[in-house]
Amino acid sequence: MSRLQDRVIIVTGGAQGIGRAYCEGLAREGAKVVVADLERAHADDLVRALAKDGHDALAVRTDVADAADTERMAQATLDRFGRIDGLINNAAVFQRPAMSRVPFEKIPVEEWDRLMAVNVRGVFLCCRAVVPAMKARRYGKIVNISSGTVFYGAPNALHYVTSKAGVIGITRSLARELGEHRITVNAIAPGLIISMDDVDPARDAQNAQRLQARAIKRTEVPEDVVGAAIFFCSAESDFITGQTLVADGGAQMH
Ligand SMILES: NC(=O)c1ccc[n+]([C@@H]2O[C@H](COP(=O)([O-])OP(=O)(O)OC[C@H]3O[C@@H](n4cnc5c(N)ncnc54)[C@H](O)[C@@H]3O)[C@@H](O)[C@H]2O)c1
């Protein structure tokens, strides 16, 4: 029996990168996946690929920073599938669109604000949009994507690291608010993952450095974090909430 048979799970930022790997992994476990992404064409492309493999999926063009968009995302899911079992808050300003990697005093204020709007407010808005449907069925799984950078502190990305620390704050506080409704809220903190086809020499050097710091000495790829997402969306994690799982090949140990 597949672990997520017929569960309806929304993946924000699911059209590309690691989000796409979450969608594929959840679908393989039997879930009906909703690909909620700013990039409609990429979301449609993924839904077509999933359908070819026999999976039921839906693409919804969504800007997670926009409250009305997140309400539409939840409604479109309910219209199509009649329920919402899970939400993976994966969308972020990170690579697509690319954030600036500069000393903190050079971060444009507008970029700081947009990044917070997507990476932090977006998580709040998406949770707010789906929780009523979860409460109605007295069950739900929310998975927030943070980052290992929060724990070791990364230079030249102050807005990003701050936003991902905020994601952990949301995870812990929301877990306390929603526990009585049997809704779990957990976070995954990946390490540096190679998730783009084009090679950036600066990131290559960074990756070589990270690789040395890991207990498991190889490059981290999107599929390395999919198992954690499946676990947090499945019944196997029903008594685990408010936690942050670091999935980085043992670079950091808690
Ligand atoms: N790649 C890594 O090394 C790494 C490491 C740690 C954490 N993470 C986190 O994992 C997640 C995915 O990383 P990635 O490398 O695949 O990111 P990415 O930048 O490659 O992809 C992000 C996806 O989100 C979508 N998106 C961006 N803004 C959006 C918005 N406002 N509304 C809806 N969708 C939007 C994009 O279209 C894209 O499909 C992010 O939250 C990132 O912060 C990544």
Side-chain angles (χ1 to χ4, degrees):
M1 177 74 175
S2 307
R3 283 181 288 173
L4 303 176
Q5 198 59 48
D6 294 329
R7 292 209 177 186
V8 177
I9 302 174
I10 299 171
V11 182
T12 71
Q16 305 171 87
I18 307 169
R20 187 175 172 118
Y22 292 136
C23 291
E24 291 166 344
L26 297 170
R28 275 195 302 273
E29 287 292 334
K32 297 177 196 305
V33 175
V34 177
V35 186
D37 203 291
L38 207 49
E39 299 286 345
R40 179 72 209 228
H42 289 290
D44 285 340
D45 172 63
L46 174 56
V47 166
R48 269 193 300 274
L50 290 171
K52 236 187 215 167
D53 291 336
H55 305 299
D56 198 359
L58 172 71
V60 186
R61 196 264 172 202
T62 311
D63 178 354
V64 298
D66 184 288
D69 260 23
T70 60
E71 294 298 333
R72 271 194 292 274
M73 170 192 83
Q75 195 53 54
T77 305
L78 290 170
D79 289 348
R80 170 70 175 269
F81 297 117
R83 55 195 270 186
I84 303 174
D85 299 291
L87 165 70
I88 301 190
N89 281 307
N90 166 78
V93 175
F94 180 52
Q95 304 185 95
R96 308 174 179 101
M99 64 174 181
S100 308
R101 293 170 189 270
V102 292
F104 83 94
E105 67 271 33
K106 297 222 162 67
I107 296 172
V109 173
E110 307 71 41
E111 184 177 322
W112 176 283
D113 288 346
R114 174 64 185 164
L115 197 138
M116 291 301 159
V118 175
N119 297 16
V120 183
R121 189 173 79 203
V123 175
F124 155 64
L125 290 175
C126 289
C127 290
R128 200 181 65 163
V130 306
V131 160
M134 291 179 173
K135 278 184 177 172
R137 297 186 63 248
R138 282 194 54 73
Y139 192 74
K141 314 293 279 181
I142 295 174
V143 184
N144 298 326
I145 306 304
S146 180
S147 165
T149 55
V150 172
F151 302 108
Y152 55 81
N156 301 328
L158 192 71
H159 48 352
Y160 177 74
V161 179
T162 304
S163 75
K164 292 296 175 178
V167 167
I168 295 176
I170 292 175
T171 301
R172 292 179 178 177
S173 295
L174 205 54
R176 296 237 179 245
E177 288 197 36
L178 297 178
E180 64 175 304
H181 301 281
R182 297 177 61 237
I183 300 169
T184 62
V185 188
N186 290 291
I188 299 170
L192 183 70
I193 295 178
I194 298 301
S195 59
M196 296 214 18
D197 299 335
D198 51 330
V199 178
D200 170 352
R203 270 176 65 79
D204 242 20
Q206 207 183 4
N207 188 49
Q209 206 181 30
R210 289 287 158 70
L211 194 142
Q212 278 316 307
R214 287 183 189 130
I216 301 167
K217 300 215 179 293
R218 66 161 172 79
T219 296
E220 184 167 4
V221 295
E223 289 66 30
D224 287 321
V225 286
V226 171
I230 292 170
F231 172 67
F232 282 139
C233 285
S234 79
E236 290 163 18
S237 60
D238 279 355
F239 202 58
I240 300 172
T241 195
Q243 304 304 310
T244 300
L245 180 60
V246 180
D248 70 352
Q252 307 175 66
M253 299 188 185
H254 296 269

